[in-house]
Amino acid sequence: MVLDEISTPPQSAPSPDQARPPNGIDLDTNATSLLCNDMETSLRFPEEDISTIFGDESKIGSPLVWRNFAGDPSVLQFLEERVMQDPLFKQQLFDYIEYSKTDKKWRTAAANAITILVRAGHQFNSVDLRRVQIPGADLSYGVFDSAQLQGADLRQVNLRGVWLRQANLTKAQMRGVQFGELPYLKEDRMAGVIVYSPDGNSIAVGFDGGSINLYSTLTCERLWILGGHTASIESAVFSPNGGQLASGSRDFTVRLWHVSTGECSHTLSGHHFWVKSVAYSPQADRIASGCGGGIVKLWDVESGQCLRSFTGHVLDITSVTYSPKDYQIASGSVDRAVRLWDTKAMVCSHIFIGHEERIKKVVYDSRGQDVVSLSDDNELRLWDTAGGGCRRVIRIMDWISSIECSQKVDQVASVINGTSVQLLDVETGSVLHILSGHSDTIARIAFSPQGDLVATSSDDETIRLWDTGTGDCRQVLAGHSGVVSDVVFSPKGDQIASIGKDMTIRLWHVEARTSHQASSGHNSKVWRVRSSSEGDLVASCSSDATVRIWDVETGECLSTLQGHTNIVFSVVYSPQRGQIATGGWDSTVRLWSIESGTCIRTLIGHDDGVNLIAYSPLGDRLASSSNDRTVRVWNVESGECLLTLEGHTALVNSVVFSPDGSHIASCSWDKTVRLWDAETGVCAQTMKGHGNIIRRVVYSPQGDHVASACNDFTVRVWDVATGNCRYTLSGHHHWVYTAMYSADGKLIVSISADNTARIWDADTGECRHVLTGHSDEVNNAALSPQGNLLATASSDYSVRVWDVESGQCRAVIQDLPDCVWDIDWIQTPDAYLLVNGCQDGSVLLWEVVMDEADQYRVRLRWGSTNNALAITDATIQDVQGLNQLNKQLLKQRGAVGEPDAKFV
């Protein structure tokens, strides 16, 4: 695929140095609005003059030719909107890119052009960009799957979160490229504690087993393994000068380590319970430690001697901190008290009582005048360290799972409702912002040293950076493949480190400005993807409570259907066209107009979440299954509930109409399948025999049998007329998630948590093929419209395409952004198309093409991605200018080939 053909650029085109701004605009004045007005005028073309205006001389006069706008978001936003409105301007941008392949005079224009197009959502999948010259471009979060970038000039290009899967970068110039992250650090055990050194050049990571690893943040190399603790690390802190590290452990000890040698200088013994918290004095000559027995100990760093054991707390210490004034320690406890300890007189100087639940954390303000205590009673209290009184109480209206103060103690951030953060002004107690965007529980909060940013880590596998001034989300950092359990800022605030349950430690660069992450997609798990019968649209539903309609040809999100207030678990197209139905865990079914994107009708009646839904063959009725143990049948035109099918004794998770619409089949966690008369609602058959919950029921195309998939590792085929089990398909070694018939009814396909799919003869029950290759459970499958191919979606981040007749795997789409939950084929006259939805919210559409050797190749047509860096199988042979860290990062992420050994 190549860009549109264009004429040869003029030989006399001026260089960027010779070009002059039109109308005397001085760009050094940062007059963004004036520039945008000038661009508005220069880009408003009379139709009769198009050929003249788009001549080469006019293009040279454009501001895009003589200034790089990659760092000017206001201008870029203006131009991005222009692309959406003006196809001629869009074509001009493609022309600039093409010109740059043969003439470096156009490289600034080309860099601007591709930056604007990426921001506008244009994807360059399989595009010929060989020898393109775009130094300084911002391609962050762009999609370049299988792009041809051989010999391209990519110097200083921003490649943060870019999708370069299977791209060819052979001999590209990549000096100074920015990926926004460093190579991750992989370990074989869970990390629990992470701290930066004062200069930010190293991090210490404490592990569950008791070891501590020291890493360089400059080279991503492990410097030392600090071994000696015999139980998990609870806390760690560097000395103020960074020369020493103190660690507290569940082995009841504190250890002091020399950072330069990795040697343990002292083991501080004397605690009789877990050491929960350690803190250095500002002069680094003393250490305070608090343990589970309610004791605070003061230690001499030089000798390792215990100077004092402070008693008074009656339950576990949760937090200790040293005052900036160097003569006072604050401690918080499960006993709900905050105590201040005078390290000169060696006495308790104040006891602060007021909290009604345990103290989570205590921290001094920068002057040492106030102590802030954070408690499980949802209160933040400010205590006067001199007078001893409570100066302020701030009530947080939700249970606090995580809470942090800024270093200046002027703001506090707390998790509310599990997935949002409330930002409060400490002085006034007023709410500054509600930070919403995560789709799963927030695990940890961190303030930047300057207080201008808040970082949140989440079970949704992402980190978000928030602007404390505006409340806007500045960046979304994706890459972990599991819960992100902790996040911390470097002392300068230019880097963050995160640890995840995927057992990796990741280092990320913090952008100086809000990143443009042009995803119009879901931000949480995609449960279902379904294509329209015409093959022109795809609908997806998600845990983010939305449904999205996608244009199959362009990948544009045509509409976002909002109205559900909880997970949208199912989506189906109506046989009557023009309408889709959705079922949500907000207990409602909604009918939507595809054309307008509006909700036509909300069907209310279920008392619990709605699972799978199904239209009748004529599309005049809709059946919904629910956790409330019922099936409801609705009149689509009026929204009236025609029938409530009661009889199951546990949640109903699947429902389907018979091919002639006369009956409805449902299955339940009560281990039964029921057949219902679709007109009267009478239960015609109750099919018993499974030994565990039944996940799915389907009709054969002839309507004479139903197949049920069960957690007892089997599929059963039932005779509709008699209700008898015809045969049991045994062979899977784990739960069977679903079963489906081929269009002619001759085959049954089953998929399982045992990592396999099986193809069965529907007449005999014989297993024809066991499809092995996935390394994790198979979540869903789909047969192609012609019935010759089967696609399977797996938690191993891959999709496999199988030949149904032979059982051979014909193609693998691997290293996808996350677990793949659903998949569907799209009926088109000229190509096999396959769409999948992932756990991270990605929706990806693929072309499955047979080459001249009768081999299937799969290429991405478009994707709504999660903005995680994807470089699997990108070719980096003889790439020039990569530094060592970027080489390591690319190799780690699955790039192939050897880059040029020299770093210029």
Side-chain angles (χ1 to χ4, degrees):
M1 180 179 180
V2 297
L3 297 174
D4 302 278
E5 292 186 4
I6 45 84
S7 58
T8 304
Q11 298 302 312
S12 59
S15 69
D17 294 334
Q18 297 169 325
R20 291 291 181 268
N23 301 335
I25 294 178
D26 180 7
L27 293 179
D28 291 335
T29 64
N30 199 27
T32 298
S33 60
L34 181 60
L35 177 61
C36 289
N37 290 337
D38 181 76
M39 283 187 164
E40 177 72 30
T41 302
S42 67
L43 295 173
R44 192 179 293 119
F45 305 121
E47 291 186 10
E48 66 274 15
D49 224 6
I50 287 174
S51 60
T52 302
I53 290 174
F54 274 92
D56 295 317
E57 291 184 5
S58 174
K59 290 179 180 178
I60 291 171
S62 168
L64 296 174
V65 176
W66 41 263
R67 179 187 170 185
N68 189 310
F69 291 104
D72 197 328
S74 299
V75 173
L76 289 175
Q77 182 176 352
F78 165 78
L79 296 171
E80 175 189 342
E81 294 169 357
R82 198 67 179 175
V83 168
M84 306 293 192
Q85 302 164 2
D86 192 338
L88 293 176
F89 175 55
K90 185 175 184 178
Q91 181 57 49
Q92 183 180 359
L93 298 181
F94 284 118
D95 289 350
Y96 284 147
I97 296 170
E98 194 72 17
Y99 288 171
S100 76
K101 293 180 177 180
T102 56
D103 192 335
K104 67 180 181 180
K105 296 187 185 76
W106 298 92
R107 60 190 179 190
T108 298
N112 283 323
I114 201 164
T115 296
I116 295 163
L117 289 167
V118 166
R119 284 178 60 98
H122 185 83
Q123 299 187 1
F124 290 84
N125 300 315
S126 301
V127 172
D128 185 351
L129 294 170
R130 287 175 292 181
R131 300 179 304 281
V132 70
Q133 300 184 66
I134 50 172
D138 184 356
L139 306 187
S140 55
Y141 312 108
V143 183
F144 293 80
D145 190 87
S146 302
Q148 302 301 303
L149 286 156
Q150 299 96 311
D153 185 351
L154 304 178
R155 291 173 298 167
Q156 305 295 327
V157 169
N158 186 350
L159 296 174
R160 179 187 290 269
V162 73
W163 182 292
L164 281 166
R165 184 180 168 278
Q166 295 185 340
N168 192 334
L169 294 156
T170 300
K171 295 187 177 180
Q173 300 178 56
M174 297 185 70
R175 180 167 56 86
V177 294
Q178 308 150 51
F179 290 103
E181 58 188 282
L182 298 176
Y184 61 76
L185 309 167
K186 180 68 174 176
E187 294 294 340
D188 59 359
R189 56 205 183 283
M190 291 292 298
V193 176
I194 183 167
V195 290
Y196 271 96
S197 63
D199 61 7
N201 292 338
S202 59
I203 55 171
V205 181
F207 294 93
D208 289 349
S211 66
I212 301 169
N213 286 0
L214 203 62
Y215 302 95
S216 167
T217 60
L218 303 178
T219 64
C220 292
E221 294 177 332
R222 185 168 57 195
L223 303 174
W224 304 108
I225 298 176
L226 311 180
H229 284 297
T230 58
S232 298
I233 306 300
E234 285 287 305
S235 57
V237 61
F238 280 92
S239 62
N241 65 8
Q244 194 177 69
L245 179 76
S247 57
S249 168
R250 293 187 180 186
D251 65 5
F252 308 168
T253 69
V254 177
R255 285 179 176 257
L256 306 185
W257 311 86
H258 289 299
V259 171
S260 59
T261 65
E263 295 178 352
C264 179
S265 59
H266 293 293
T267 299
L268 312 182
S269 301
H271 285 294
H272 300 292
F273 296 91
W274 296 353
V275 180
K276 297 278 193 174
S277 183
V278 291
Y280 273 95
S281 66
Q283 301 301 318
D285 57 341
R286 295 180 175 184
I287 285 177
S289 60
C291 77
I295 306 296
V296 176
K297 287 182 176 287
L298 186 64
W299 310 84
D300 180 79
V301 169
E302 182 67 26
S303 66
Q305 296 298 309
C306 179
L307 303 175
R308 184 75 173 183
S309 291
F310 295 112
T311 60
H313 286 295
V314 295
L315 293 173
D316 294 359
I317 303 294
T318 55
S319 177
V320 295
T321 183
Y322 239 103
S323 167
K325 295 180 179 179
D326 200 48
Y327 61 82
Q328 194 178 76
I329 298 168
S331 59
S333 168
V334 177
D335 67 9
R336 301 174 291 181
V338 176
R339 288 177 176 258
L340 302 186
W341 310 92
D342 188 313
T343 59
K344 291 181 179 178
M346 297 295 186
V347 296
C348 179
S349 59
H350 294 291
I351 304 174
F352 298 142
I353 304 295
H355 284 295
E356 297 179 357
E357 297 290 343
R358 73 172 184 131
I359 311 296
K360 296 170 71 76
K361 188 172 185 178
V362 290
V363 60
Y364 280 93
D365 69 3
S366 58
R367 298 170 297 175
Q369 294 181 354
D370 290 326
V371 166
V372 176
S373 58
L374 311 171
S375 169
D376 278 345
D377 63 6
N378 295 3
E379 286 184 352
L380 176 149
R381 288 176 176 254
L382 271 73
W383 309 92
D384 186 338
T385 61
C390 180
R391 293 206 306 110
R392 185 169 294 103
V393 179
I394 297 175
R395 180 75 179 171
I396 299 169
M397 302 306 293
D398 196 10
W399 179 78
I400 303 171
S401 59
S402 183
I403 187 168
E404 289 294 334
C405 280
S406 61
Q407 289 190 9
K408 296 179 181 178
V409 196
D410 58 341
Q411 293 183 348
V412 61
S414 64
V415 175
I416 58 172
N417 301 321
T419 59
S420 298
V421 169
Q422 179 178 252
L423 193 63
L424 296 167
D425 183 284
V426 170
E427 188 63 31
T428 66
S430 60
V431 176
L432 300 174
H433 302 290
I434 301 296
L435 314 178
S436 298
H438 283 295
S439 60
D440 209 335
T441 303
I442 293 172
R444 199 60 58 93
I445 304 171
F447 273 92
S448 66
Q450 299 79 11
D452 59 333
L453 293 175
V454 166
T456 52
S457 67
S458 170
D459 290 6
D460 68 8
E461 305 180 3
T462 70
I463 300 150
R464 287 178 177 256
L465 301 186
W466 310 86
D467 188 304
T468 59
T470 65
D472 294 335
C473 181
R474 288 259 296 261
Q475 287 176 247
V476 180
L477 307 177
H480 282 288
S481 58
V483 170
V484 188
S485 54
D486 202 359
V487 60
V488 291
F489 276 93
S490 66
K492 295 179 182 177
D494 58 345
Q495 188 183 86
I496 65 171
S498 59
I499 54 179
K501 291 192 175 179
D502 58 2
M503 293 186 285
T504 66
I505 301 106
R506 295 176 185 255
L507 304 176
W508 315 80
H509 294 302
V510 176
E511 286 191 328
R513 60 181 186 276
T514 301
S515 64
H516 181 80
Q517 293 170 275
S519 173
S520 59
H522 296 290
N523 63 16
S524 188
K525 180 176 179 176
V526 175
W527 288 95
R528 302 280 179 268
V529 286
R530 290 292 178 267
S531 62
S532 62
S533 58
E534 298 86 354
D536 58 339
L537 300 174
V538 166
S540 57
C541 64
S542 167
S543 290
D544 66 9
T546 70
V547 178
R548 293 178 185 265
I549 307 297
W550 308 87
D551 185 292
V552 166
E553 186 61 32
T554 66
E556 179 185 357
C557 180
L558 301 176
S559 56
T560 300
L561 312 183
Q562 296 177 308
H564 283 288
T565 58
N566 205 328
I567 290 170
V568 186
F569 187 71
S570 54
V571 59
V572 289
Y573 279 89
S574 169
Q576 295 182 353
R577 301 183 181 182
Q579 185 186 96
I580 62 170
T582 56
W585 287 2
D586 59 3
S587 307
T588 70
V589 177
R590 288 177 178 259
L591 307 180
W592 309 82
S593 166
I594 294 175
E595 183 177 0
S596 66
T598 58
C599 181
I600 303 169
R601 198 162 284 108
T602 302
L603 311 181
I604 299 174
H606 283 295
D607 297 324
D608 207 336
V610 175
N611 294 313
L612 293 185
I613 57 178
Y615 276 101
S616 63
L618 297 178
D620 58 336
R621 288 173 295 164
L622 186 78
S624 54
S625 61
S626 171
N627 292 344
D628 67 7
R629 301 180 292 181
T630 70
V631 173
R632 285 181 178 257
V633 182
W634 311 84
N635 181 295
V636 170
E637 183 64 28
S638 67
E640 176 189 0
C641 180
L642 302 175
L643 299 168
T644 300
L645 311 182
E646 298 178 309
H648 284 295
T649 58
L651 69 84
V652 186
N653 53 3
S654 179
V655 64
V656 62
F657 276 92
S658 62
D660 63 3
S662 63
H663 285 80
I664 295 170
S666 61
C667 67
S668 168
W669 281 26
D670 66 6
K671 308 177 189 178
T672 70
V673 174
R674 287 178 178 258
L675 301 186
W676 313 83
D677 187 294
E679 290 297 327
T680 66
V682 173
C683 181
Q685 301 284 356
T686 300
M687 302 167 176
K688 298 180 180 180
H690 278 299
N692 208 322
I693 65 174
I694 304 174
R695 290 185 173 264
R696 191 67 58 89
V697 62
V698 292
Y699 267 98
S700 65
Q702 296 77 20
D704 54 346
H705 296 100
V706 292
S708 54
C710 182
N711 273 15
D712 65 5
F713 307 174
T714 70
V715 175
R716 285 179 177 250
V717 178
W718 310 84
D719 186 283
V720 167
T722 65
N724 294 329
C725 179
R726 185 180 177 193
Y727 45 73
T728 300
L729 308 181
S730 299
H732 283 295
H733 306 296
H734 212 306
W735 301 338
V736 183
Y737 286 144
T738 193
M740 63 196 67
Y741 278 91
S742 60
D744 59 10
K746 294 181 179 180
L747 300 174
I748 296 173
V749 174
S750 60
I751 61 166
S752 171
D754 68 4
N755 307 350
T756 72
R758 288 177 177 250
I759 300 176
W760 312 82
D761 187 298
D763 289 329
T764 66
E766 176 189 358
C767 181
R768 290 191 176 182
H769 302 293
V770 180
L771 310 182
T772 60
H774 286 296
S775 59
D776 206 335
E777 57 191 42
V778 182
N779 296 315
N780 230 317
L783 284 160
S784 64
Q786 295 79 8
N788 60 324
L789 297 176
L790 174 72
T792 52
S794 172
S795 290
D796 67 4
Y797 293 31
S798 79
V799 170
R800 287 179 174 259
V801 179
W802 312 83
D803 183 275
V804 171
E805 182 64 29
S806 68
Q808 297 298 307
C809 182
R810 303 299 301 274
V812 182
I813 310 170
Q814 57 189 357
D815 294 308
L816 293 176
D818 212 324
C819 302
V820 189
W821 281 99
D822 199 20
I823 195 163
D824 196 19
W825 292 92
I826 300 173
Q827 178 73 58
T828 62
D830 54 354
Y832 287 109
L833 298 180
L834 195 59
V835 63
N836 72 266
C838 294
Q839 170 118 4
D840 68 336
S842 300
V843 176
L844 306 165
L845 189 136
W846 308 86
E847 294 184 19
V848 183
V849 182
M850 182 178 287
D851 61 21
E852 296 177 355
D854 291 337
Q855 297 297 314
Y856 285 101
R857 292 184 300 105
V858 182
R859 63 188 184 192
L860 183 68
R861 175 177 284 192
W862 54 260
S864 167
T865 67
N866 70 342
N867 301 318
L869 184 65
I871 317 175
T872 304
D873 292 331
T875 301
I876 56 172
Q877 185 67 37
D878 297 326
V879 164
Q880 301 173 28
L882 282 175
N883 64 34
Q884 192 59 42
L885 283 177
N886 283 338
K887 289 179 183 178
Q888 184 180 341
L889 175 66
L890 293 176
K891 284 289 189 179
Q892 194 178 66
R893 297 303 184 87
V896 297
E898 292 300 324
D900 190 279
K902 295 179 293 183
F903 170 60
V904 182

mmCIF file of all heavy atoms in Angstrom, residues 449-471:
data_model
loop_
_atom_site.group_PDB
_atom_site.id
_atom_site.type_symbol
_atom_site.label_atom_id
_atom_site.label_comp_id
_atom_site.label_asym_id
_atom_site.label_seq_id
_atom_site.Cartn_x
_atom_site.Cartn_y
_atom_site.Cartn_z
ATOM 1 N N PRO A 449 6.888 15.414 43.432
ATOM 2 C CA PRO A 449 7.531 16.286 44.423
ATOM 3 C C PRO A 449 7.058 17.734 44.338
ATOM 4 O O PRO A 449 6.978 18.424 45.352
ATOM 5 C CB PRO A 449 9.017 16.165 44.068
ATOM 6 C CG PRO A 449 9.135 14.857 43.379
ATOM 7 C CD PRO A 449 7.863 14.683 42.613
ATOM 8 N N GLN A 450 6.747 18.188 43.131
ATOM 9 C CA GLN A 450 6.298 19.557 42.954
ATOM 10 C C GLN A 450 4.818 19.732 43.291
ATOM 11 O O GLN A 450 4.344 20.868 43.398
ATOM 12 C CB GLN A 450 6.542 20.011 41.500
ATOM 13 C CG GLN A 450 7.994 19.995 41.063
ATOM 14 C CD GLN A 450 8.500 18.605 40.701
ATOM 15 O OE1 GLN A 450 7.715 17.660 40.583
ATOM 16 N NE2 GLN A 450 9.807 18.468 40.538
ATOM 17 N N GLY A 451 4.086 18.633 43.413
ATOM 18 C CA GLY A 451 2.674 18.694 43.732
ATOM 19 C C GLY A 451 1.779 19.008 42.558
ATOM 20 O O GLY A 451 0.574 19.183 42.722
ATOM 21 N N ASP A 452 2.349 19.070 41.344
ATOM 22 C CA ASP A 452 1.540 19.412 40.177
ATOM 23 C C ASP A 452 0.891 18.202 39.528
ATOM 24 O O ASP A 452 0.001 18.335 38.687
ATOM 25 C CB ASP A 452 2.387 20.144 39.130
ATOM 26 C CG ASP A 452 3.583 19.318 38.660
ATOM 27 O OD1 ASP A 452 4.065 18.463 39.434
ATOM 28 O OD2 ASP A 452 4.050 19.531 37.525
ATOM 29 N N LEU A 453 1.329 17.002 39.931
ATOM 30 C CA LEU A 453 0.793 15.772 39.348
ATOM 31 C C LEU A 453 0.432 14.778 40.440
ATOM 32 O O LEU A 453 1.063 14.737 41.506
ATOM 33 C CB LEU A 453 1.804 15.117 38.406
ATOM 34 C CG LEU A 453 2.178 15.834 37.111
ATOM 35 C CD1 LEU A 453 3.278 15.074 36.397
ATOM 36 C CD2 LEU A 453 0.965 15.989 36.204
ATOM 37 N N VAL A 454 -0.573 13.976 40.148
ATOM 38 C CA VAL A 454 -0.908 12.810 40.956
ATOM 39 C C VAL A 454 -0.841 11.593 40.052
ATOM 40 O O VAL A 454 -1.364 11.610 38.931
ATOM 41 C CB VAL A 454 -2.315 12.938 41.571
ATOM 42 C CG1 VAL A 454 -2.796 11.592 42.108
ATOM 43 C CG2 VAL A 454 -2.319 13.948 42.701
ATOM 44 N N ALA A 455 -0.191 10.540 40.526
ATOM 45 C CA ALA A 455 -0.159 9.266 39.799
ATOM 46 C C ALA A 455 -1.048 8.268 40.522
ATOM 47 O O ALA A 455 -1.041 8.201 41.757
ATOM 48 C CB ALA A 455 1.260 8.740 39.693
ATOM 49 N N THR A 456 -1.816 7.503 39.756
ATOM 50 C CA THR A 456 -2.653 6.447 40.322
ATOM 51 C C THR A 456 -2.365 5.143 39.603
ATOM 52 O O THR A 456 -2.265 5.108 38.382
ATOM 53 C CB THR A 456 -4.147 6.785 40.191
ATOM 54 O OG1 THR A 456 -4.444 7.134 38.814
ATOM 55 C CG2 THR A 456 -4.525 7.954 41.073
ATOM 56 N N SER A 457 -2.214 4.079 40.370
ATOM 57 C CA SER A 457 -2.046 2.754 39.782
ATOM 58 C C SER A 457 -3.293 1.940 40.079
ATOM 59 O O SER A 457 -3.942 2.141 41.103
ATOM 60 C CB SER A 457 -0.808 2.053 40.340
ATOM 61 O OG SER A 457 -0.974 1.750 41.712
ATOM 62 N N SER A 458 -3.605 0.999 39.188
ATOM 63 C CA SER A 458 -4.924 0.379 39.259
ATOM 64 C C SER A 458 -4.887 -1.096 38.901
ATOM 65 O O SER A 458 -3.968 -1.589 38.232
ATOM 66 C CB SER A 458 -5.882 1.122 38.319
ATOM 67 O OG SER A 458 -7.107 0.433 38.165
ATOM 68 N N ASP A 459 -5.952 -1.775 39.333
ATOM 69 C CA ASP A 459 -6.160 -3.158 38.915
ATOM 70 C C ASP A 459 -6.482 -3.262 37.431
ATOM 71 O O ASP A 459 -6.493 -4.374 36.887
ATOM 72 C CB ASP A 459 -7.310 -3.784 39.719
ATOM 73 C CG ASP A 459 -6.941 -4.012 41.173
ATOM 74 O OD1 ASP A 459 -5.834 -3.590 41.593
ATOM 75 O OD2 ASP A 459 -7.751 -4.599 41.920
ATOM 76 N N ASP A 460 -6.766 -2.130 36.761
ATOM 77 C CA ASP A 460 -7.042 -2.178 35.320
ATOM 78 C C ASP A 460 -5.764 -2.231 34.490
ATOM 79 O O ASP A 460 -5.793 -2.076 33.281
ATOM 80 C CB ASP A 460 -7.926 -1.006 34.884
ATOM 81 C CG ASP A 460 -7.229 0.363 34.985
ATOM 82 O OD1 ASP A 460 -6.017 0.408 35.251
ATOM 83 O OD2 ASP A 460 -7.927 1.386 34.799
ATOM 84 N N GLU A 461 -4.607 -2.428 35.184
ATOM 85 C CA GLU A 461 -3.306 -2.652 34.559
ATOM 86 C C GLU A 461 -2.681 -1.381 34.001
ATOM 87 O O GLU A 461 -1.718 -1.434 33.235
ATOM 88 C CB GLU A 461 -3.399 -3.732 33.453
ATOM 89 C CG GLU A 461 -3.990 -5.039 33.943
ATOM 90 C CD GLU A 461 -4.078 -6.108 32.872
ATOM 91 O OE1 GLU A 461 -3.632 -5.857 31.739
ATOM 92 O OE2 GLU A 461 -4.568 -7.206 33.169
ATOM 93 N N THR A 462 -3.205 -0.217 34.382
ATOM 94 C CA THR A 462 -2.654 1.044 33.897
ATOM 95 C C THR A 462 -2.264 1.963 35.051
ATOM 96 O O THR A 462 -2.663 1.766 36.197
ATOM 97 C CB THR A 462 -3.649 1.802 32.997
ATOM 98 O OG1 THR A 462 -4.739 2.293 33.796
ATOM 99 C CG2 THR A 462 -4.184 0.915 31.888
ATOM 100 N N ILE A 463 -1.490 2.971 34.683
ATOM 101 C CA ILE A 463 -1.164 4.088 35.570
ATOM 102 C C ILE A 463 -1.673 5.347 34.878
ATOM 103 O O ILE A 463 -1.526 5.506 33.662
ATOM 104 C CB ILE A 463 0.354 4.196 35.784
ATOM 105 C CG1 ILE A 463 0.895 2.906 36.407
ATOM 106 C CG2 ILE A 463 0.707 5.410 36.631
ATOM 107 C CD1 ILE A 463 2.305 2.621 36.023
ATOM 108 N N ARG A 464 -2.267 6.227 35.653
ATOM 109 C CA ARG A 464 -2.721 7.499 35.106
ATOM 110 C C ARG A 464 -2.034 8.645 35.848
ATOM 111 O O ARG A 464 -1.868 8.598 37.069
ATOM 112 C CB ARG A 464 -4.241 7.642 35.201
ATOM 113 C CG ARG A 464 -4.984 6.766 34.202
ATOM 114 C CD ARG A 464 -6.490 6.877 34.317
ATOM 115 N NE ARG A 464 -7.144 6.071 33.300
ATOM 116 C CZ ARG A 464 -7.713 6.553 32.199
ATOM 117 N NH1 ARG A 464 -7.738 7.857 31.989
ATOM 118 N NH2 ARG A 464 -8.278 5.764 31.318
ATOM 119 N N LEU A 465 -1.639 9.654 35.076
ATOM 120 C CA LEU A 465 -1.064 10.866 35.634
ATOM 121 C C LEU A 465 -2.071 11.992 35.473
ATOM 122 O O LEU A 465 -2.570 12.241 34.362
ATOM 123 C CB LEU A 465 0.244 11.222 34.930
ATOM 124 C CG LEU A 465 1.369 10.180 34.980
ATOM 125 C CD1 LEU A 465 2.641 10.748 34.366
ATOM 126 C CD2 LEU A 465 1.637 9.738 36.394
ATOM 127 N N TRP A 466 -2.343 12.687 36.580
ATOM 128 C CA TRP A 466 -3.383 13.714 36.615
ATOM 129 C C TRP A 466 -2.764 15.062 36.950
ATOM 130 O O TRP A 466 -1.890 15.171 37.811
ATOM 131 C CB TRP A 466 -4.436 13.372 37.673
ATOM 132 C CG TRP A 466 -4.972 11.990 37.604
ATOM 133 C CD1 TRP A 466 -4.439 10.867 38.179
ATOM 134 C CD2 TRP A 466 -6.147 11.541 36.918
ATOM 135 N NE1 TRP A 466 -5.203 9.765 37.905
ATOM 136 C CE2 TRP A 466 -6.269 10.145 37.133
ATOM 137 C CE3 TRP A 466 -7.130 12.188 36.172
ATOM 138 C CZ2 TRP A 466 -7.319 9.384 36.625
ATOM 139 C CZ3 TRP A 466 -8.171 11.445 35.655
ATOM 140 C CH2 TRP A 466 -8.258 10.066 35.872
ATOM 141 N N ASP A 467 -3.256 16.095 36.287
ATOM 142 C CA ASP A 467 -2.855 17.470 36.571
ATOM 143 C C ASP A 467 -3.653 17.953 37.777
ATOM 144 O O ASP A 467 -4.885 18.028 37.725
ATOM 145 C CB ASP A 467 -3.123 18.350 35.349
ATOM 146 C CG ASP A 467 -2.549 19.741 35.488
ATOM 147 O OD1 ASP A 467 -2.886 20.426 36.479
ATOM 148 O OD2 ASP A 467 -1.783 20.174 34.605
ATOM 149 N N THR A 468 -2.964 18.308 38.886
ATOM 150 C CA THR A 468 -3.684 18.719 40.088
ATOM 151 C C THR A 468 -4.324 20.095 39.937
ATOM 152 O O THR A 468 -5.243 20.430 40.687
ATOM 153 C CB THR A 468 -2.749 18.728 41.307
ATOM 154 O OG1 THR A 468 -1.653 19.630 41.056
ATOM 155 C CG2 THR A 468 -2.202 17.331 41.586
ATOM 156 N N GLY A 469 -3.837 20.874 38.979
ATOM 157 C CA GLY A 469 -4.423 22.189 38.766
ATOM 158 C C GLY A 469 -5.740 22.140 38.026
ATOM 159 O O GLY A 469 -6.696 22.838 38.368
ATOM 160 N N THR A 470 -5.813 21.276 37.009
ATOM 161 C CA THR A 470 -7.006 21.219 36.161
ATOM 162 C C THR A 470 -7.862 19.979 36.397
ATOM 163 O O THR A 470 -9.030 19.955 36.020
ATOM 164 C CB THR A 470 -6.599 21.241 34.680
ATOM 165 O OG1 THR A 470 -5.852 20.042 34.379
ATOM 166 C CG2 THR A 470 -5.743 22.460 34.363
ATOM 167 N N GLY A 471 -7.259 18.941 36.977
ATOM 168 C CA GLY A 471 -7.975 17.677 37.128
ATOM 169 C C GLY A 471 -7.950 16.815 35.890
ATOM 170 O O GLY A 471 -8.542 15.732 35.866
#
